[in-house]
């Protein structure tokens, strides 16, 4: 059963780089790692996805070590609008069905 | 852009009432999911469906049922609402595939059961 572990909360200041690490010790060989962002009273939205090494898009970077047992979401130069809950997600294969399983997420608060 | 529409943003129901939460997606996605979200617990999967008329239980199916008669629509049903089902309900859809793919979520339906 794939599980993820993230810090419950983090604090940062505007302009800083924020790194949120997720542990997924039991990740399956062909599982991807996906991160979502959620603002209050909204559904989560996709940020980034990767399988190994590094992935970068216009919003964030995702670093995945060779053993893939963890991953780190990196948000460059955060602003107040990056205050949100961030979820790390890996798949959970049950009886042949693939189920996206969310953890409890990391609540990021960005201070002025 | 993919759009996932949930029928009601806010509902207030009484204990014992039957409640229908509707979800419609417009991108021909095979997969649809219902989650509930409670403070401190993250998102927990209630039911999911990988095809029309197909349904699978998630982590917390008790007290819920679902219906998928058409590909674009996935309904969550509370046969007899109880106060412990007061929560935010989130519907999501995605294309079929081994990896997570990108889940597209609706805005959520906040249900209060009195």
């Amino acid at each position: 059963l794939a599980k993820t572990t993230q810090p419950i909360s983090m604090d940062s200041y505007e302009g800083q780089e924020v790194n949120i690490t997720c542990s997924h010790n039991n990740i399956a060989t062909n599982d991807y790692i996906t991160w979502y962002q959620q603002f209050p009273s909204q559904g989560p939205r996709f940020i980034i996805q990767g399988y190994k090494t590094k992935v970068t898009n216009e919003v964030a970077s995702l670093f995945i070590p060779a053993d893939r047992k963890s991953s780190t979401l990196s948000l460059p130069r955060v602003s107040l609008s990056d205050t949100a809950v961030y979820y790390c997600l890996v798949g959970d294969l049950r009886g042949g069905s693939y189920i996206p399983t969310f953890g409890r997420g990391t609540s990021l608060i960005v201070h002025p | 852009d993919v759009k996932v529409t949930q029928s009601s943003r806010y509902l207030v129901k009484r204990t014992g009432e039957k409640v229908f939460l509707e979800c419609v997606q417009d991108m021909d996605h095979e997969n649809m999911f219902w989650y509930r979200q409670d403070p401190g617990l993250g998102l927990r999967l209630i039911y999911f469906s990988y095809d029309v008329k197909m349904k699978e239980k998630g982590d917390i199916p008790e007290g819920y049922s679902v219906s998928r008669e058409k590909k674009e629509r996935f309904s969550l049903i509370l046969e007899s609402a109880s106060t412990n089902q007061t929560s935010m309900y989130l519907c999501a859809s995605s294309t079929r595939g081994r990896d997570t793919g990108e889940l597209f979520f609706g805005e959520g339906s906040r249900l209060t059961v009195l």
Side-chain angles (χ1 to χ4, degrees), chain A residues 31-87:
Chain A
D31 265 341
Y32 281 72
I33 299 150
T34 312
W35 285 80
Y36 288 81
Q37 176 191 56
Q38 185 181 26
F39 298 112
S41 299
Q42 293 185 22
R45 65 172 188 173
F46 174 93
I47 300 176
I48 197 167
Q49 182 182 74
Y51 183 79
K52 62 180 179 180
T53 63
K54 178 183 175 182
V55 179
T56 298
N57 61 22
E58 64 278 4
V59 176
S61 294
L62 179 60
F63 299 92
I64 304 168
D67 66 7
R68 301 194 342 112
K69 293 184 182 298
S70 66
S71 59
T72 298
L73 175 72
S74 181
L75 304 172
R77 297 180 298 281
V78 294
S79 64
L80 297 177
S81 63
D82 292 315
T83 293
V85 179
Y86 293 83
Y87 292 94

Side-chain angles (χ1 to χ4, degrees), chain B residues 35-90:
Chain B
Y35 292 87
R36 67 174 281 177
Q37 184 172 33
D38 301 287
L41 297 180
L43 281 77
R44 294 180 291 167
L45 183 64
I46 304 171
Y47 267 96
F48 61 100
S49 170
Y50 285 160
D51 205 348
V52 175
K53 295 191 184 296
M54 177 271 183
K55 59 184 178 183
E56 294 286 345
K57 294 180 179 179
D59 296 315
I60 51 166
E62 296 78 19
Y64 304 94
S65 62
V66 290
S67 173
R68 193 159 181 207
E69 295 297 316
K70 294 184 178 181
K71 191 175 185 179
E72 67 271 18
R73 187 179 298 270
F74 192 36
S75 302
L76 180 69
I77 304 156
L78 288 67
E79 293 289 342
S80 178
S82 63
T83 55
N84 62 13
Q85 292 178 310
T86 291
S87 186
M88 168 71 87
Y89 291 88
L90 290 159

Side-chain angles (χ1 to χ4, degrees), chain B residues 6-7 19 24 29 34 50 56 80 95 102 105 112-114:
Chain B
Q6 295 185 228
S7 55
V19 181
V24 178
H29 283 170
W34 274 107
Y50 285 160
E56 294 286 345
S80 178
T95 57
E102 182 176 348
F105 281 86
T112 301
V113 183
L114 302 175

Side-chain angles (χ1 to χ4, degrees), chain A residues 5-12 18-21 35-40 73 75 78 80 82-88 103-111, chain B residues 37 39-42:
Chain A
T5 304
Q6 306 172 233
I8 294 174
S9 63
M10 295 181 69
D11 289 86
S12 185
V18 171
N19 296 308
I20 305 174
T21 296
W35 285 80
Y36 288 81
Q37 176 191 56
Q38 185 181 26
F39 298 112
L73 175 72
L75 304 172
V78 294
L80 297 177
D82 292 315
T83 293
V85 179
Y86 293 83
Y87 292 94
C88 163
R104 299 190 179 190
T106 297
S107 176
L108 172 66
I109 299 175
V110 179
H111 302 276
Chain B
Q37 184 172 33
L41 297 180

Side-chain angles (χ1 to χ4, degrees), chain B residues 12-31:
Chain B
V12 179
K13 299 292 181 179
R14 298 208 174 271
T15 300
E17 279 192 81
K18 190 169 186 176
V19 181
F20 292 88
L21 298 179
E22 305 284 343
C23 176
V24 178
Q25 49 93 5
D26 65 0
M27 281 300 290
D28 202 36
H29 283 170
E30 293 84 4
N31 307 331

